[in-house]
Amino acid sequence: MAKISFATDIKPLFRDVDVSHMKRFGVNLDDYTFMSKPDNANRVLAALSPHNDKPPSMPPGGPYWTADQLALFAQWQKDGYNP
């Protein structure tokens, strides 16, 4: 099984509006160098994930990522942040 890739599998999950919105806050969702840093990736995953029965904070107003999309992101991290 091929490892999950940022370019092929993760980056396309972020809509252009998400990327441009988050750049204002210094979060570069479309930049592998930024996203492959564990602290940055963990913060993004936390923002994409629901907490205590509350919706995720990202993307604002949804549509929110599915459980499969969140699992794909987490697996990309576990696999070692493949470009």
Side-chain angles (χ1 to χ4, degrees):
M1 182 167 127
K3 282 190 177 183
I4 297 164
S5 158
F6 180 77
T8 303
D9 303 301
I10 303 303
K11 184 177 174 182
L13 296 174
F14 296 108
R15 302 172 303 167
D16 289 341
V17 66
D18 302 329
V19 172
S20 65
H21 175 79
M22 293 308 294
K23 276 190 197 281
R24 290 183 271 169
F25 302 103
V27 178
N28 298 313
L29 298 174
D30 61 346
D31 179 3
Y32 171 76
T33 301
F34 177 87
M35 290 295 292
S36 64
K37 292 180 181 169
D39 286 345
N40 294 338
N42 287 333
R43 280 196 299 271
V44 169
L45 183 58
L48 291 165
S49 302
H51 297 283
N52 300 324
D53 296 325
K54 292 182 182 172
S57 59
M58 193 170 88
Y64 303 118
W65 280 23
T66 66
D68 287 343
Q69 290 170 313
L70 294 169
L72 184 71
F73 190 97
Q75 188 63 48
W76 171 68
Q77 291 181 284
K78 184 178 176 185
D79 285 348
Y81 302 93
N82 188 38

